[in-house]
Amino acid sequence: TPNTDTDVAFVWQIPFSGHDHAMRFMGKCLGLIQASEMGALNGMGETQQLMVMHAALGDFINVDTTTIPGLQRAKHLGLLTSSALGVQAVHSPLLYPTLTTLFSTSPGRGRIFAFFSDPIDTFVYQFYQHTKQNPLSLTIQEYVNYNSPSRPEFNPLTKALSNYHDATEDGPLTEEHHFRIAKEVIRQKFLVGLTDQMESSFQRLERVFSWQNSDVNTAGKCQNWNWAPQPPTGIRKGSAVYNELIKKNNFDVKLFEYIKHIFDTQGEELFS
Protein backbone atom coordinates (compact mmCIF):
# COMPACT_ATOMS: atom_id res chain seq x y z
CA THR A 1 0.00 0.00 0.00
CA PRO A 2 1.40 3.44 -0.86
CA ASN A 3 2.84 5.38 2.03
CA THR A 4 1.12 8.53 3.27
CA ASP A 5 2.63 11.54 5.00
CA THR A 6 1.11 10.46 8.32
CA ASP A 7 2.47 6.90 8.30
CA VAL A 8 5.03 6.22 11.02
CA ALA A 9 7.57 3.39 11.00
CA PHE A 10 7.32 1.16 14.04
CA VAL A 11 10.63 -0.66 14.36
CA TRP A 12 10.14 -3.71 16.53
CA GLN A 13 13.40 -4.23 18.43
CA ILE A 14 14.44 -7.88 18.48
CA PRO A 15 17.51 -8.56 20.66
CA PHE A 16 20.76 -9.15 18.78
CA SER A 17 19.12 -8.69 15.37
CA GLY A 18 20.42 -5.30 14.26
CA HIS A 19 17.77 -2.83 15.38
CA ASP A 20 20.55 -0.46 16.50
CA HIS A 21 21.68 -0.35 12.86
CA ALA A 22 18.15 0.67 11.86
CA MET A 23 18.24 3.49 14.41
CA ARG A 24 21.62 4.63 13.14
CA PHE A 25 20.53 4.45 9.50
CA MET A 26 17.35 6.45 10.11
CA GLY A 27 19.09 9.04 12.25
CA LYS A 28 22.49 9.56 10.65
CA CYS A 29 21.76 8.64 7.03
CA LEU A 30 18.20 9.88 6.57
CA GLY A 31 17.98 12.57 9.23
CA LEU A 32 14.66 11.31 10.61
CA ILE A 33 13.12 12.31 13.92
CA GLN A 34 12.79 9.17 16.02
CA ALA A 35 11.44 7.95 19.35
CA SER A 36 13.14 5.25 21.41
CA GLU A 37 14.93 5.50 24.75
CA MET A 38 17.71 7.68 23.33
CA GLY A 39 15.96 11.01 23.91
CA ALA A 40 15.04 10.23 27.51
CA LEU A 41 18.57 10.17 28.89
CA ASN A 42 19.72 12.47 31.69
CA GLY A 43 16.23 12.88 33.12
CA MET A 44 14.72 14.29 29.92
CA GLY A 45 12.14 11.50 29.88
CA GLU A 46 10.42 12.94 32.93
CA THR A 47 9.53 16.42 31.70
CA GLN A 48 5.97 17.57 30.98
CA GLN A 49 6.80 18.76 27.48
CA LEU A 50 8.02 16.90 24.43
CA MET A 51 10.98 18.25 22.48
CA VAL A 52 13.63 17.11 20.04
CA MET A 53 16.92 16.02 21.61
CA HIS A 54 20.19 15.70 19.71
CA ALA A 55 21.87 12.35 20.40
CA ALA A 56 24.77 10.38 18.96
CA LEU A 57 22.48 8.49 16.59
CA GLY A 58 20.44 11.50 15.44
CA ASP A 59 17.41 13.48 16.61
CA PHE A 60 15.07 11.87 19.15
CA ILE A 61 11.96 12.98 21.03
CA ASN A 62 12.47 12.96 24.82
CA VAL A 63 10.41 9.85 25.50
CA ASP A 64 11.25 6.24 26.35
CA THR A 65 9.18 3.94 24.15
CA THR A 66 10.93 0.82 25.47
CA THR A 67 8.91 0.67 28.73
CA ILE A 68 5.20 0.61 29.57
CA PRO A 69 5.35 3.81 31.68
CA GLY A 70 7.35 5.47 28.91
CA LEU A 71 4.74 4.52 26.31
CA GLN A 72 1.95 5.83 28.52
CA ARG A 73 3.78 9.14 29.01
CA ALA A 74 4.40 9.41 25.27
CA LYS A 75 0.70 8.88 24.58
CA HIS A 76 -0.37 11.36 27.28
CA LEU A 77 1.91 14.06 25.85
CA GLY A 78 0.76 13.44 22.28
CA LEU A 79 3.83 11.84 20.70
CA LEU A 80 1.98 10.71 17.56
CA THR A 81 -1.03 13.01 17.66
CA SER A 82 0.98 16.24 17.48
CA SER A 83 1.96 16.98 13.90
CA ALA A 84 4.40 19.63 15.15
CA LEU A 85 6.76 16.94 16.50
CA GLY A 86 7.12 15.26 13.12
CA VAL A 87 7.99 11.81 14.48
CA GLN A 88 8.82 9.46 11.62
CA ALA A 89 9.96 6.30 13.43
CA VAL A 90 9.22 4.68 16.78
CA HIS A 91 11.47 1.94 18.19
CA SER A 92 10.37 -0.49 20.88
CA PRO A 93 10.81 -4.14 21.92
CA LEU A 94 7.18 -4.11 23.15
CA LEU A 95 5.16 -5.16 20.14
CA TYR A 96 1.52 -5.21 21.22
CA PRO A 97 1.78 -2.61 24.03
CA THR A 98 3.25 -0.13 21.54
CA LEU A 99 0.53 -0.80 18.98
CA THR A 100 -2.32 -0.51 21.48
CA THR A 101 -0.90 2.42 23.48
CA LEU A 102 0.51 4.66 20.74
CA PHE A 103 -0.87 3.66 17.37
CA SER A 104 -4.49 3.02 18.34
CA THR A 105 -5.02 6.79 18.60
CA SER A 106 -2.54 7.88 15.94
CA PRO A 107 -3.94 9.75 12.91
CA GLY A 108 -1.63 7.70 10.68
CA ARG A 109 -0.77 4.05 10.39
CA GLY A 110 1.95 2.28 12.28
CA ARG A 111 3.81 0.30 9.63
CA ILE A 112 5.82 -2.40 11.37
CA PHE A 113 9.38 -3.23 10.40
CA ALA A 114 11.90 -5.56 12.04
CA PHE A 115 15.25 -7.15 11.39
CA PHE A 116 15.13 -10.92 11.80
CA SER A 117 18.10 -13.23 12.27
CA ASP A 118 18.69 -16.94 12.59
CA PRO A 119 17.20 -17.96 15.97
CA ILE A 120 20.15 -20.22 16.74
CA ASP A 121 22.58 -17.33 16.20
CA THR A 122 20.39 -15.17 18.42
CA PHE A 123 20.48 -17.76 21.19
CA VAL A 124 24.27 -17.98 20.96
CA TYR A 125 24.52 -14.18 21.20
CA GLN A 126 22.35 -14.33 24.31
CA PHE A 127 24.55 -17.01 25.80
CA TYR A 128 27.69 -14.91 25.36
CA GLN A 129 25.89 -11.93 26.86
CA HIS A 130 24.96 -14.15 29.80
CA THR A 131 28.57 -15.26 30.29
CA LYS A 132 29.76 -11.62 30.30
CA GLN A 133 27.37 -10.90 33.15
CA ASN A 134 27.98 -14.23 34.92
CA PRO A 135 31.61 -15.27 34.27
CA LEU A 136 32.34 -19.00 34.35
CA SER A 137 28.77 -19.83 35.39
CA LEU A 138 27.66 -22.26 32.67
CA THR A 139 28.92 -23.85 29.48
CA ILE A 140 26.69 -23.44 26.45
CA GLN A 141 25.67 -27.12 26.76
CA GLU A 142 24.64 -26.53 30.37
CA TYR A 143 22.91 -23.30 29.42
CA VAL A 144 20.82 -25.04 26.76
CA ASN A 145 19.84 -27.87 29.09
CA TYR A 146 19.31 -25.79 32.20
CA ASN A 147 15.84 -26.69 33.48
CA SER A 148 14.45 -23.31 34.36
CA PRO A 149 10.65 -23.27 34.76
CA SER A 150 10.52 -20.30 32.38
CA ARG A 151 12.86 -20.06 29.40
CA PRO A 152 11.77 -16.99 27.44
CA GLU A 153 14.82 -17.34 25.16
CA PHE A 154 13.29 -20.44 23.56
CA ASN A 155 10.94 -19.59 20.66
CA PRO A 156 10.80 -15.88 21.62
CA LEU A 157 9.52 -14.72 18.21
CA THR A 158 6.60 -17.13 18.13
CA LYS A 159 5.71 -16.19 21.69
CA ALA A 160 5.89 -12.44 21.09
CA LEU A 161 4.04 -12.46 17.77
CA SER A 162 1.23 -14.65 19.14
CA ASN A 163 1.05 -12.56 22.35
CA TYR A 164 1.93 -15.63 24.40
CA HIS A 165 2.78 -14.97 28.04
CA ASP A 166 3.54 -18.23 29.85
CA ALA A 167 2.40 -21.83 30.17
CA THR A 168 0.39 -21.13 33.31
CA GLU A 169 -1.68 -18.45 31.59
CA ASP A 170 -1.73 -19.67 27.98
CA GLY A 171 -0.99 -23.39 28.15
CA PRO A 172 1.71 -25.03 26.02
CA LEU A 173 2.99 -23.35 22.86
CA THR A 174 1.29 -25.07 19.92
CA GLU A 175 1.70 -25.17 16.16
CA GLU A 176 -2.04 -25.12 15.52
CA HIS A 177 -2.59 -21.89 17.44
CA HIS A 178 0.48 -19.83 18.38
CA PHE A 179 2.70 -20.70 15.41
CA ARG A 180 -0.17 -20.12 12.98
CA ILE A 181 -0.89 -16.70 14.52
CA ALA A 182 2.80 -15.75 14.35
CA LYS A 183 2.95 -16.58 10.63
CA GLU A 184 -0.18 -14.59 9.86
CA VAL A 185 1.05 -11.54 11.78
CA ILE A 186 4.31 -11.62 9.80
CA ARG A 187 2.50 -12.05 6.50
CA GLN A 188 -0.15 -9.40 7.05
CA LYS A 189 1.54 -6.74 9.20
CA PHE A 190 5.32 -6.71 8.74
CA LEU A 191 7.81 -5.26 6.34
CA VAL A 192 10.55 -7.84 6.81
CA GLY A 193 14.26 -7.13 7.06
CA LEU A 194 17.05 -9.68 7.44
CA THR A 195 20.12 -9.07 9.56
CA ASP A 196 22.38 -10.71 7.00
CA GLN A 197 20.92 -8.55 4.20
CA MET A 198 21.09 -5.10 5.78
CA GLU A 199 21.55 -2.99 2.66
CA SER A 200 18.65 -4.63 0.82
CA SER A 201 16.50 -4.23 3.92
CA PHE A 202 17.33 -0.51 4.17
CA GLN A 203 16.42 -0.08 0.50
CA ARG A 204 12.99 -1.52 1.25
CA LEU A 205 12.48 0.95 4.08
CA GLU A 206 13.38 3.85 1.79
CA ARG A 207 11.06 2.59 -0.93
CA VAL A 208 8.05 1.94 1.31
CA PHE A 209 8.30 5.22 3.22
CA SER A 210 9.59 7.33 0.32
CA TRP A 211 12.58 8.37 2.44
CA GLN A 212 15.71 9.84 0.89
CA ASN A 213 19.21 10.51 2.19
CA SER A 214 19.32 13.91 3.83
CA ASP A 215 22.25 15.18 1.75
CA VAL A 216 24.83 13.92 -0.71
CA ASN A 217 27.72 13.88 1.77
CA THR A 218 25.76 11.86 4.31
CA ALA A 219 24.60 9.47 1.61
CA GLY A 220 28.16 8.75 0.55
CA LYS A 221 29.27 8.20 4.13
CA CYS A 222 26.40 5.78 4.77
CA GLN A 223 27.22 3.75 1.70
CA ASN A 224 30.72 3.21 3.03
CA TRP A 225 29.62 2.02 6.45
CA ASN A 226 29.99 -1.68 7.19
CA TRP A 227 26.43 -2.71 7.99
CA ALA A 228 27.14 -6.46 8.01
CA PRO A 229 26.70 -7.90 11.52
CA GLN A 230 29.55 -9.76 13.13
CA PRO A 231 28.51 -13.42 13.42
CA PRO A 232 28.68 -15.00 16.86
CA THR A 233 31.27 -17.60 17.68
CA GLY A 234 28.94 -20.33 16.61
CA ILE A 235 28.38 -23.93 17.51
CA ARG A 236 28.98 -26.68 15.02
CA LYS A 237 25.97 -27.71 12.97
CA GLY A 238 25.07 -31.30 13.68
CA SER A 239 26.60 -31.26 17.15
CA ALA A 240 24.56 -32.42 20.13
CA VAL A 241 24.10 -28.89 21.47
CA TYR A 242 23.10 -27.55 18.04
CA ASN A 243 20.50 -30.30 17.57
CA GLU A 244 19.15 -29.64 21.06
CA LEU A 245 18.80 -25.95 20.21
CA ILE A 246 16.92 -26.78 17.02
CA LYS A 247 14.57 -28.97 19.03
CA LYS A 248 13.92 -26.41 21.76
CA ASN A 249 13.49 -23.54 19.26
CA ASN A 250 11.52 -25.60 16.77
CA PHE A 251 8.78 -23.02 16.21
CA ASP A 252 11.18 -20.12 15.69
CA VAL A 253 13.38 -22.18 13.36
CA LYS A 254 10.38 -22.90 11.14
CA LEU A 255 9.15 -19.33 11.49
CA PHE A 256 12.51 -17.96 10.34
CA GLU A 257 12.30 -20.06 7.18
CA TYR A 258 8.86 -18.57 6.56
CA ILE A 259 10.19 -15.05 7.24
CA LYS A 260 12.91 -15.55 4.61
CA HIS A 261 10.18 -16.56 2.15
CA ILE A 262 8.23 -13.39 2.96
CA PHE A 263 11.43 -11.35 2.51
CA ASP A 264 11.84 -12.74 -1.01
CA THR A 265 8.17 -12.20 -1.85
CA GLN A 266 8.18 -8.60 -0.61
CA GLY A 267 11.35 -7.91 -2.56
CA GLU A 268 9.71 -9.07 -5.76
CA GLU A 269 6.67 -6.90 -5.11
CA LEU A 270 8.72 -3.78 -4.29
CA PHE A 271 11.37 -3.98 -7.01
CA SER A 272 9.83 -5.92 -9.89
Side-chain angles (χ1 to χ4, degrees):
T1 305
N3 176 56
T4 70
D5 291 338
T6 57
D7 285 354
V8 177
F10 169 26
V11 183
W12 183 36
Q13 298 176 316
I14 302 172
F16 307 104
S17 293
H19 67 264
D20 53 332
H21 287 308
M23 200 179 297
R24 180 188 185 193
F25 174 75
M26 293 177 181
K28 302 301 288 184
C29 298
L30 301 179
L32 306 184
I33 297 176
Q34 304 178 78
S36 66
E37 74 279 22
M38 297 297 295
L41 302 177
N42 302 317
M44 293 306 298
E46 300 174 4
T47 67
Q48 293 303 307
Q49 182 178 1
L50 297 185
M51 62 192 78
V52 177
M53 308 298 296
H54 303 294
L57 296 180
D59 291 341
F60 292 82
I61 303 297
N62 61 321
V63 294
D64 184 355
T65 53
T66 66
T67 68
I68 296 295
L71 287 170
Q72 293 171 340
R73 172 178 172 272
K75 177 182 179 179
H76 174 70
L77 295 179
L79 177 68
L80 297 185
T81 55
S82 173
S83 58
L85 293 172
V87 179
Q88 295 161 288
V90 173
H91 304 256
S92 179
L94 307 174
L95 178 60
Y96 288 106
T98 302
L99 291 173
T100 56
T101 303
L102 287 184
F103 289 97
S104 61
T105 57
S106 169
R109 295 175 298 176
R111 299 169 67 94
I112 314 173
F113 172 83
F115 278 116
F116 295 91
S117 59
D118 187 300
I120 305 304
D121 287 346
T122 300
F123 186 92
V124 174
Y125 273 121
Q126 288 181 315
F127 167 72
Y128 285 114
Q129 186 68 29
H130 173 82
T131 58
K132 287 180 181 179
Q133 298 170 354
N134 304 276
L136 304 178
S137 56
L138 296 172
T139 67
I140 192 167
Q141 181 74 59
E142 292 169 335
Y143 187 64
V144 171
N145 292 321
Y146 180 68
N147 289 321
S148 169
S150 176
R151 294 298 299 271
E153 66 269 42
F154 292 139
N155 296 303
L157 291 179
T158 304
K159 290 174 180 176
L161 290 163
S162 64
N163 209 18
Y164 179 93
H165 296 95
D166 56 54
T168 301
E169 183 175 344
D170 300 314
L173 205 65
T174 66
E175 181 162 1
E176 294 78 11
H177 182 60
H178 304 100
F179 180 68
R180 180 183 59 81
I181 291 174
K183 286 179 64 177
E184 282 302 294
V185 172
I186 289 292
R187 184 180 68 84
Q188 295 183 25
K189 303 297 185 181
F190 272 78
L191 174 63
V192 168
L194 295 179
T195 305
D196 61 358
Q197 297 195 47
M198 285 277 186
E199 290 189 24
S200 175
S201 301
F202 288 143
Q203 289 171 359
R204 294 164 190 233
L205 275 171
E206 290 182 283
R207 176 67 63 89
V208 168
F209 287 94
S210 301
W211 291 336
Q212 295 180 343
N213 289 300
S214 55
D215 59 65
V216 175
N217 293 330
T218 302
K221 182 171 63 175
C222 291
Q223 290 169 1
N224 293 326
W225 277 346
N226 179 20
W227 296 107
Q230 295 299 315
T233 304
I235 53 179
R236 183 173 56 84
K237 289 187 177 182
S239 65
V241 65
Y242 182 86
N243 291 336
E244 188 66 19
L245 274 175
I246 293 290
K247 179 180 177 181
K248 292 190 173 182
N249 284 285
N250 59 325
F251 292 119
D252 274 14
V253 169
K254 291 189 292 185
L255 184 62
F256 184 60
E257 292 301 314
Y258 181 72
I259 287 169
K260 289 191 289 186
H261 165 71
I262 294 297
F263 181 83
D264 291 338
T265 301
Q266 291 180 345
E268 294 172 359
E269 293 173 350
L270 284 170
F271 298 108
S272 61

